[in-house]
Amino acid sequence: MAHCSIASRLITGFSWALSLTTATIVVATTQAFAQTAPGTRDLPARSVPVPDTVSPQMQKIIAAPLPATWNVIPDAADGWRAQVNESAAAVNQTLPALRAQLHVKVEPRAIDGVKTFEVAPEAIPTQNRNRLLIHVHGGCYVSFPGESGTSEAILMAGLGGFRVISVDYRMPPDAPYPAALDDAMTVWKAALKMSEPKNMAIFGTSAGGALTLSMVLRAKQDNLPLPGAIASGTPMSDLTGRGDSFVTNAMLDNVLVAYGANCDKRAALYTNGHDLKDPLLSPVYGDMHGFPPAILTTGTRDLLLSNTVRVHRKLREAGVEAVLQVFEGQSHAQYMRDVNAPETKDAFGEIARFLDKHLGK
Amino acid sequence: MAHCSIASRLITGFSWALSLTTATIVVATTQAFAQTAPGTRDLPARSVPVPDTVSPQMQKIIAAPLPATWNVIPDAADGWRAQVNESAAAVNQTLPALRAQLHVKVEPRAIDGVKTFEVAPEAIPTQNRNRLLIHVHGGCYVSFPGESGTSEAILMAGLGGFRVISVDYRMPPDAPYPAALDDAMTVWKAALKMSEPKNMAIFGTSAGGALTLSMVLRAKQDNLPLPGAIASGTPMSDLTGRGDSFVTNAMLDNVLVAYGANCDKRAALYTNGHDLKDPLLSPVYGDMHGFPPAILTTGTRDLLLSNTVRVHRKLREAGVEAVLQVFEGQSHAQYMRDVNAPETKDAFGEIARFLDKHLGK
């Protein structure tokens, strides 16, 4: 059913083997270190403890072992569907309690043929009555269909007091690029009839962080109005594998783990042979002049730390008001893992304040 | 003359040996990986290439080998003085060309008994005529005496167009804590007679980044007016060794290299037995309410990445307007290594714009 692939970027200059089925790592080499290329840094093996500089809740998240499927690659569409269904089912179990705790209601709603969810707090604060956020979920362009894609939208609605439309965009194996982006743009065009663009933001994390950026690039191309602000969490901004933290945080990040593993294989189902340097797939290569104010979020152990800070620099070089928040010890997107972690409230609180500052009312 | 000490934080759960005199690393273990504590991440050895996502100038800086003295620890004051003199002489050789290229003049000036340098661009832009910056240099509280401490001040004067007073504070082995802070505060009190506090900023990197924060804490304690803004570059904000990147970026950062090595031994000459958790020594433990707007700068490979982002979070939690910039692939303070690297202009350009936005005129 499934075969295992190793993340080839990691085996640079010396040999090691991953025993993937047990998710443990066995180093097969006894070689001494030698410089492999000018300037290459040869690092010894090491054990990295859980930092004591984060909350107990975050320590628990950071202490979690690598995901069992981080590098288990199905060889056919059915295998992918089984993985997707399993992770979606796990998330779905958590949603009723999350909605109840945050006093958030979620209703399915079709918008011009695209499936979405309306996600709203029971009481919307006065200053947010005329505001609307569009949410594009993460999951490496393949995971979290249906309701399972709404957890970040629930956090934003509950912690930020915003009305959110979460786009349940089409995904591979059935629908590769540009289906997801097309669906998101259909919703954006419909949203332009619901509210003023300056009163709206687009937000998302991981694949959703990249889609947030790609939606703005596409809106620029199509001469559509842009949102008043965006929030892009640890965006998959460069699918070509460039970015220093793909190497420096490899095996340290306990979410994505390594470049070329399961998440990137899912993204490859989406890109489906298209040029990975296309800015609509790797938005770090896009022209960011004229972008609305943006807030970016990442963590020090995030495999996409580099590709978040590279987007931040690109935005700033383009003269865009862009702020960056980096959380101690966190791997990819761990700021949305536990509603009870103070870091989650901190991250979403910052995003909500940023949106409140920049959106019209 | 000198003995070598290993950075004890690194040897966690498995054995390895550093051949320090040749600055190469030999791993003495053939052990397989085993979990050493709950949640500990066991990382294989790896080779990390120079990233292609930075400028050619920055690639050269990132490609540099570890400093020859990163863990060479003199056993007496004379040995420290010899190291300090050697690095100061190397910097001093570069200063005439730097001043000439940036059209910056440097003049020594004693202020209430404290040695300083006046550092100013030949032509001061109109909006900066009534502004004044106070600079506290880096060097782990022991290095870069005299003119060798002025390079960052020259960059700020030249790239930002600001008039700067750079404090040549007393240092160990002769003068431990609180001599440096006392000297910096003497200059701050004198500066309060030269300009409006809202027209002034304090800035510095590394030990200077920590002194910048400590000066504000001390000014609060002493009921002195605070500056209109501060710029703290990769501050040595926690001398106790807490901070995840002390472990995650160990041996990757080619400036500080590892916690407990030469730089921390220099800092220990400064702290001289005082409680390392004293906020005037480890300002991350300080109360940051009421701080002026702050800009923080670090890099993804910086050993002090964590201790920069921890300060950023603390400032934000205290309601302070604080922004963070993180540069791709850079180790500790490499944004000030080469005036011709675009990243240097980018970093100082951002700091200058931030100060321009927040300072009075």
Side-chain angles (χ1 to χ4, degrees):
Chain A
M1 267 309 270
H3 72 272
C4 294
S5 148
I6 57 168
S8 61
R9 288 264 306 191
L10 286 175
I11 16 174
T12 314
F14 54 101
S15 60
W16 59 304
L18 293 171
S19 170
L20 294 164
T21 49
T22 57
T24 58
I25 300 157
V26 178
V27 169
T29 181
T30 56
Q31 290 171 241
F33 288 83
Q35 289 288 118
T36 46
T40 294
R41 195 91 64 248
D42 295 306
L43 300 181
R46 72 187 67 192
S47 291
V48 183
V50 175
D52 63 353
T53 42
V54 301
S55 72
Q57 295 93 330
M58 191 51 65
Q59 286 184 22
K60 200 171 159 190
I61 291 167
I62 293 172
L66 305 187
T69 60
W70 76 268
N71 204 23
V72 178
I73 314 297
D75 55 11
D78 278 354
W80 284 111
R81 287 191 190 97
Q83 275 193 3
V84 168
N85 289 341
E86 191 176 348
S87 62
V91 170
N92 285 341
Q93 283 194 330
T94 69
L95 294 179
L98 184 65
R99 290 191 297 255
Q101 180 176 345
L102 294 178
H103 304 284
V104 167
K105 293 175 299 183
V106 176
E107 298 285 344
R109 174 183 176 184
I111 296 182
D112 293 344
V114 175
K115 290 194 282 185
T116 75
F117 292 90
E118 267 208 22
V119 182
E122 284 167 13
I124 296 174
T126 315
Q127 74 274 16
N128 290 341
R129 295 269 160 85
N130 296 319
R131 289 167 165 171
L132 178 62
L133 310 191
I134 306 302
H135 173 243
V136 270
H137 67 78
C140 311
Y141 296 102
V142 170
S143 298
F144 307 122
E147 201 173 69
S148 71
T150 61
S151 56
E152 187 182 25
I154 295 167
L155 288 166
M156 186 65 91
L159 298 173
F162 289 103
R163 206 156 45 95
V164 180
I165 292 175
S166 182
V167 186
D168 182 16
Y169 51 79
R170 288 168 294 154
M171 294 191 289
D174 303 308
Y177 174 84
L181 187 57
D182 284 348
D183 285 357
M185 293 309 293
T186 296
V187 173
W188 178 244
K189 277 180 261 188
L192 292 170
K193 297 172 197 154
M194 301 176 198
S195 189
E196 296 287 321
K198 68 178 171 52
N199 294 1
M200 294 196 286
I202 300 173
F203 76 102
T205 286
S206 193
L211 279 169
T212 297
L213 300 170
S214 301
M215 285 174 73
V216 178
L217 290 171
R218 177 83 168 264
K220 279 178 65 180
Q221 277 182 13
D222 298 349
N223 290 311
L224 292 171
L226 305 184
I230 58 174
S232 173
T234 178
M236 295 181 73
S237 67
D238 191 341
L239 297 177
T240 74
R242 295 175 79 223
D244 197 40
S245 64
F246 276 131
V247 185
T248 59
N249 282 342
M251 310 308 294
L252 178 64
D253 180 315
N254 66 342
V255 177
L256 298 179
V257 187
Y259 178 73
N262 187 299
C263 177
D264 290 303
K265 295 293 193 292
R266 276 179 279 167
L269 296 178
Y270 177 63
T271 57
N272 196 31
H274 280 85
D275 179 7
L276 298 180
K277 268 205 143 180
D278 184 330
L280 296 180
L281 293 173
S282 292
V284 76
Y285 300 109
D287 174 5
M288 296 184 184
H289 288 90
F291 263 50
I295 181 166
L296 299 156
T297 306
T298 182
T300 61
R301 291 189 181 192
D302 190 348
L303 200 69
L304 304 191
L305 171 63
S306 286
N307 287 347
T308 305
V309 308
R310 286 172 66 206
V311 169
H312 182 236
R313 296 312 325 146
K314 283 251 340 189
L315 287 164
R316 293 296 302 137
E317 283 160 23
V320 176
E321 182 156 350
V323 306
L324 173 69
Q325 51 180 350
V326 181
F327 284 92
E328 165 75 337
Q330 292 188 21
S331 297
H332 187 64
Q334 290 184 324
Y335 56 84
M336 49 185 278
R337 281 294 178 95
D338 178 359
V339 63
N340 296 312
E343 288 88 348
T344 304
K345 287 166 194 163
D346 192 7
F348 282 86
E350 286 284 59
I351 294 168
R353 276 188 296 275
F354 184 85
L355 299 182
D356 183 55
K357 180 178 172 185
H358 292 287
L359 293 184
K361 290 177 187 173
Chain B
M1 268 309 272
H3 73 270
C4 295
S5 149
I6 58 168
S8 62
R9 288 264 307 190
L10 287 174
I11 18 176
T12 314
F14 54 100
S15 60
W16 56 306
L18 293 172
S19 170
L20 294 164
T21 49
T22 57
T24 58
I25 301 156
V26 178
V27 169
T29 181
T30 55
Q31 287 171 243
F33 288 83
Q35 289 289 119
T36 46
T40 293
R41 195 91 63 250
D42 295 306
L43 300 182
R46 74 187 66 191
S47 290
V48 183
V50 176
D52 64 354
T53 42
V54 300
S55 72
Q57 294 92 331
M58 191 53 63
Q59 287 186 21
K60 200 172 159 191
I61 292 167
I62 293 172
L66 305 187
T69 59
W70 76 268
N71 204 24
V72 178
I73 314 297
D75 55 11
D78 278 354
W80 284 112
R81 287 192 189 98
Q83 276 193 3
V84 167
N85 290 340
E86 190 177 349
S87 62
V91 170
N92 285 341
Q93 284 194 329
T94 69
L95 295 179
L98 184 64
R99 291 190 298 254
Q101 180 176 345
L102 295 178
H103 303 285
V104 168
K105 292 175 300 182
V106 177
E107 298 284 346
R109 173 183 176 184
I111 296 181
D112 292 345
V114 175
K115 291 194 282 184
T116 75
F117 292 89
E118 268 209 23
V119 182
E122 284 168 13
I124 297 174
T126 314
Q127 75 274 15
N128 290 342
R129 295 268 160 86
N130 297 317
R131 289 167 165 172
L132 177 62
L133 310 191
I134 306 300
H135 173 244
V136 271
H137 67 79
C140 311
Y141 295 102
V142 170
S143 299
F144 306 124
E147 201 173 67
S148 71
T150 61
S151 57
E152 187 181 24
I154 295 168
L155 287 165
M156 185 66 91
L159 298 173
F162 289 103
R163 207 156 44 96
V164 181
I165 293 175
S166 183
V167 185
D168 182 16
Y169 51 79
R170 287 168 294 153
M171 295 193 287
D174 303 308
Y177 175 83
L181 186 56
D182 284 348
D183 285 356
M185 294 309 292
T186 296
V187 173
W188 178 244
K189 278 181 262 188
L192 291 170
K193 296 173 197 155
M194 300 176 199
S195 188
E196 295 287 321
K198 67 179 171 52
N199 294 2
M200 294 195 287
I202 300 172
F203 76 103
T205 285
S206 193
L211 279 169
T212 297
L213 301 169
S214 301
M215 284 175 73
V216 177
L217 291 170
R218 177 83 168 265
K220 280 177 64 180
Q221 278 183 11
D222 296 350
N223 289 310
L224 292 171
L226 305 184
I230 58 173
S232 173
T234 177
M236 294 181 73
S237 67
D238 191 341
L239 296 178
T240 74
R242 295 175 79 222
D244 198 37
S245 63
F246 276 131
V247 184
T248 59
N249 282 342
M251 309 308 294
L252 177 63
D253 179 315
N254 65 342
V255 176
L256 298 178
V257 187
Y259 178 73
N262 187 300
C263 177
D264 290 304
K265 295 293 191 293
R266 274 179 280 167
L269 297 178
Y270 177 63
T271 57
N272 196 31
H274 281 85
D275 179 7
L276 298 181
K277 267 204 143 179
D278 183 331
L280 296 180
L281 293 173
S282 293
V284 76
Y285 299 109
D287 174 6
M288 296 184 185
H289 289 89
F291 262 49
I295 181 165
L296 300 156
T297 307
T298 181
T300 61
R301 293 189 179 191
D302 190 347
L303 199 71
L304 304 191
L305 170 65
S306 286
N307 286 347
T308 305
V309 308
R310 287 171 68 205
V311 169
H312 183 236
R313 297 312 324 147
K314 282 252 341 190
L315 287 165
R316 292 297 302 138
E317 283 160 21
V320 176
E321 182 156 350
V323 307
L324 173 69
Q325 50 180 350
V326 182
F327 284 91
E328 165 76 336
Q330 293 187 20
S331 296
H332 186 64
Q334 290 184 323
Y335 55 84
M336 49 184 277
R337 282 294 178 96
D338 179 358
V339 62
N340 296 313
E343 288 89 348
T344 304
K345 287 166 193 163
D346 193 8
F348 283 86
E350 285 286 59
I351 295 167
R353 275 187 297 275
F354 184 86
L355 299 183
D356 183 55
K357 180 177 171 186
H358 291 288
L359 292 185
K361 290 177 188 171

